[in-house]
C-alpha cells in the first residue's frame, strides 16, 4: 500500500532518503495518479494534461555519466547508471529506496496489535503484508508517477527510462496493472488467511490506491496544496501501513486510528523537508507547497514545529495513559532530533536536507516503534 503505503522519494517520508532534484522544474516523486479512458474495446491509462506547454524550462545540457552508480540505478535514485536490461529498468521504476518506511509501518502495526508471535505462520503473514505494502503497492504508485510525469521528465530529465524510450509505454502500463492488482490480491489473501469477516486489509489497500490517485490527479490534485498534500503523504507512510499490520494481527481500534493520524502530522513535517529544493519548479507549476506559500524562512519553522510538537503531544498522551516509561523514552528520542534540526536543517534546509534526514529520522522511526509497543501493553 504504497500510497499506502508514497512518500518520500518521497516522494515516502517515515521519510525515504531525500533525492536530489534539478533546480528547474521537478515533479513530485510520490503518490501519482492515473486516468482511465475507454475507446471502443480498448482500455488505456494515460497521463492527465499537464502544464508543460506553459512552463519554460531547458533540458539538462548533459545526461548522467555513463559510469553512474549501478546501486543507485537499482534503488531508483539520482546518479543512476544507464541501463538496458529491462528487468533492472522495471525495478528502477518501482524505486525500492521508498519501500522501507512502509515495511516499518507494518512492523509497528504488528507490534501495536500485541498479538504477533515469533512463529512461522505469523512471520509469513508479516512478510506477505510487507510485500503488499512495499514492492507491490509502493512500486505501483512510483511506476505510475513516472508514467504520469513523463512529459515533464522529457523536459527536465530526458534520460529517465520512460522519456528516453528505454522501456516502452505498453510495458510500463502492464507493470502498473500487475503491481496494482498483485498488491490488492495479496491484501485479499491476507484477509482470507486470518479469517476476517470484513476484508479490512483489502479495503485499506484499495483506499491507499485511491489516495495515490487523488493526490496528483485533477480535479482534486491534493499536492497543489502544501497542507493537505503533505498530510496525505504523512498518512500514507505512517498511518496506512500501521493500520494494515495491526488489522492483520489484531483489531484496529478508533483510538489507534486517531493516534496514528496525529503522528501523520509529523509525516507532514517530513514531507516539507523535501519541498525546499523544488520551490522554483513548484511555483512555476502553481503548486502551493509551504515554502512557496510562506517563504523558506517561515516554512522551515513550520516543518520542525510539526515534527516536534506532534511527538511531544504523543508523549503527553502516553503519560496520560499511565505509561510514563514509554513517554520518557519518546522524549529521549525527540531531543537528538531537535539538536540535528538546529545543527543542520534550520541553518540551510536546502544544503543540509539529506544530512539532517539521515541524522534525525532514525530517532523518529524508533519513536514510532516505542509508541506502538506502548499501545500494545
Amino acid at each position: 500500500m504504497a500510497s499506502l503505503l508514497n512518500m518520500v522519494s518521497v516522494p515516502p517520508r517515515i521519510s525515504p532518503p531525500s533525492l536530489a532534484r534539478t533546480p528547474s522544474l521537478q515533479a513530485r516523486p510520490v503518490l501519482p495518479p492515473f486516468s482511465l479512458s475507454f475507446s471502443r474495446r480498448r482500455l488505456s491509462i494515460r497521463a492527465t494534461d499537464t502544464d508543460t506547454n506553459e512552463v519554460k524550462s531547458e533540458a539538462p545540457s548533459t545526461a548522467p555519466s555513463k559510469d553512474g552508480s549501478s546501486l543507485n540505478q537499482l534503488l531508483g535514485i539520482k546518479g543512476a547508471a544507464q541501463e538496458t536490461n529491462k528487468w533492472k529498468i522495471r525495478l528502477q521504476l518501482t524505486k525500492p529506496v521508498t519501500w522501507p518506511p512502509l515495511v516499518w509501518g507494518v512492523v509497528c502495526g504488528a507490534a501495536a496489535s500485541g498479538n504477533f508471535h515469533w512463529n512461522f505462520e505469523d512471520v509469513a503473514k508479516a512478510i506477505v503484508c510487507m510485500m503488499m505494502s512495499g514492492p507491490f503497492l509502493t512500486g505501483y504508485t512510483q511506476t505510475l508517477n513516472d508514467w504520469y510525469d513523463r512529459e515533464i521528465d522529457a523536459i527536465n530529465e530526458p534520460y529517465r527510462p520512460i522519456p528516453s524510450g528505454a522501456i516502452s509505454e505498453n510495458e510500463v502500463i502492464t507493470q502498473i496493472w500487475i503491481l496494482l492488482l498483485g498488491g490488492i490480491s495479496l491484501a485479499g489473501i491476507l484477509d482470507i488467511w486470518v479469517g476476517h469477516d470484513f476484508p479490512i486489509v483489502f479495503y485499506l489497500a484499495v483506499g491507499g490506491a485511491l489516495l495515490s490517485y487523488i493526490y496528483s490527479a485533477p480535479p482534486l490534485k491534493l499536492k497543489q496544496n502544501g497542507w493537505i498534500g503533505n498530510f496525505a503523504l504523512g498518512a500514507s507512510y505512517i498511518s496506512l501501513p500501521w493500520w494494515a499490520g495491526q488489522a492483520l494481527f489484531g483489531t484496529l481500534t478508533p483510538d489507534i486510528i486517531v493516534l496514528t493520524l496525529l503522528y501523520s502530522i509529523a509525516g507532514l513535517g517530513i514531507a516539507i523537508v523535501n519541498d525546499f529544493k523544488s520551490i522554483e519548479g513548484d511555483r512555476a507549476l502553481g503548486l502551493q507547497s509551504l515554502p512557496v506559500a510562506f517563504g523558506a524562512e517561515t516554512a522551515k519553522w513550520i516543518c520542525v514545529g510539526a515534527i516536534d510538537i506532534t511527538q511531544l503531544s504523543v508523549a503527553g498522551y502516553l503519560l496520560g495513559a499511565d505509561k510514563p516509561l514509554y513517554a520518557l523514552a519518546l522524549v529521549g528520542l525527540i531531543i537528538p532530533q531537535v539538536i540535528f534540526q538546529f545543527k543542520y536543517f534550520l541553518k540551510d534546509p536546502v544544503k543540509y536536507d539529506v544530512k539532517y534526514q539521515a541524522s534525525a529520522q532514525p530517532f523518529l522511526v524508533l519513536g514510532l516503534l516505542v509508541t506502538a509497543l506502548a499501545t500494545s501493553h
Side-chain angles (χ1 to χ4, degrees):
M1 18 196 87
S3 46
L4 263 191
L5 300 170
N6 158 45
M7 189 151 266
V8 200
S9 75
V10 334
R13 301 170 166 150
I14 303 164
S15 179
S18 178
L19 308 184
R21 306 173 75 164
T22 56
S24 59
L25 183 61
Q26 181 70 26
R28 298 291 180 85
V30 290
L31 298 174
F34 64 87
S35 58
L36 296 178
S37 63
F38 295 87
S39 177
R40 296 183 182 178
R41 298 183 180 179
R42 182 179 177 185
L43 173 64
S44 63
I45 300 180
R46 58 180 175 80
T48 307
D49 292 340
T50 66
D51 299 327
T52 52
N53 291 332
E54 302 175 8
V55 178
K56 303 298 183 181
S57 177
E58 296 182 359
S61 58
T62 59
S65 172
K66 291 183 179 179
D67 59 356
S69 169
S70 296
L71 178 61
N72 286 12
Q73 188 275 325
L74 292 175
L75 292 176
I77 59 179
K78 294 292 181 65
Q82 296 296 288
E83 185 57 66
T84 58
N85 183 292
K86 280 294 174 63
W87 289 106
K88 289 184 178 181
I89 292 172
R90 289 185 182 279
L91 182 63
Q92 180 182 359
L93 288 174
T94 66
K95 295 184 177 65
V97 74
T98 64
W99 301 351
L102 290 301
V103 171
W104 186 257
V106 173
V107 171
C108 291
S113 73
N115 292 321
F116 176 84
H117 303 93
W118 286 100
N119 55 49
F120 178 81
E121 184 176 9
D122 280 5
V123 170
K125 290 175 184 175
I127 291 174
V128 172
C129 192
M130 292 173 185
M131 290 291 293
M132 172 197 71
S133 303
F136 277 91
L137 290 177
T138 304
Y140 145 75
T141 58
Q142 296 294 354
T143 305
L144 192 59
N145 178 71
D146 272 20
W147 167 257
Y148 178 76
D149 289 334
R150 67 192 189 279
E151 294 178 1
I152 294 176
D153 287 342
I155 298 173
N156 287 327
E157 300 176 275
Y159 42 78
R160 289 181 65 82
I162 296 176
S164 70
I167 185 169
S168 72
E169 293 186 353
N170 285 337
E171 288 171 324
V172 175
I173 292 171
T174 300
Q175 175 163 319
I176 290 170
W177 280 110
I178 289 175
L179 292 174
L180 173 61
L181 297 177
I184 292 176
S185 297
L186 286 179
I189 290 171
L190 287 171
D191 282 318
I192 295 172
W193 192 348
V194 299
H196 284 159
D197 294 328
F198 179 79
I200 185 170
V201 180
F202 173 83
Y203 281 110
L204 285 173
V206 172
L210 177 61
L211 183 59
S212 297
Y213 178 80
I214 66 174
Y215 175 81
S216 294
L220 296 180
K221 202 169 187 178
L222 300 183
K223 69 180 183 179
Q224 291 185 124
N225 183 289
W227 293 107
I228 299 174
N230 285 332
F231 184 77
L233 284 179
S236 296
Y237 276 82
I238 295 177
S239 297
L240 286 172
W242 181 317
W243 296 349
Q246 182 152 351
L248 182 63
F249 293 101
T251 302
L252 185 58
T253 56
D255 60 322
I256 291 297
I257 292 175
V258 172
L259 180 64
T260 51
L261 286 175
L262 174 62
Y263 232 124
S264 295
I265 298 176
L268 178 151
I270 295 170
I272 297 172
V273 173
N274 296 310
D275 288 338
F276 286 90
K277 283 188 175 180
S278 60
I279 292 176
E280 181 182 344
D282 287 346
R283 185 178 289 116
L285 285 174
L287 301 179
Q288 287 297 304
S289 67
L290 296 188
V292 171
F294 294 96
E297 188 65 24
T298 301
K300 69 183 183 182
W301 287 102
I302 295 175
C303 175
V304 298
I307 294 172
D308 298 341
I309 294 173
T310 296
Q311 293 178 91
L312 288 171
S313 299
V314 173
Y317 167 83
L318 296 178
L319 185 63
D322 198 24
K323 297 176 182 178
L325 293 180
Y326 288 102
L328 183 62
L330 184 54
V331 171
L333 291 169
I334 296 171
I335 292 173
Q337 295 178 59
V338 175
I339 293 173
F340 287 123
Q341 286 164 2
F342 279 94
K343 184 176 181 180
Y344 296 124
F345 184 73
L346 291 173
K347 283 185 177 180
D348 191 331
V350 175
K351 181 178 180 180
Y352 295 117
D353 65 330
V354 175
K355 186 174 289 188
Y356 162 68
Q357 293 189 78
S359 302
Q361 289 189 19
F363 295 98
L364 186 144
V365 168
L366 290 175
L368 273 173
L369 184 59
V370 167
T371 304
L373 293 172
T375 60
S376 69
H377 292 82

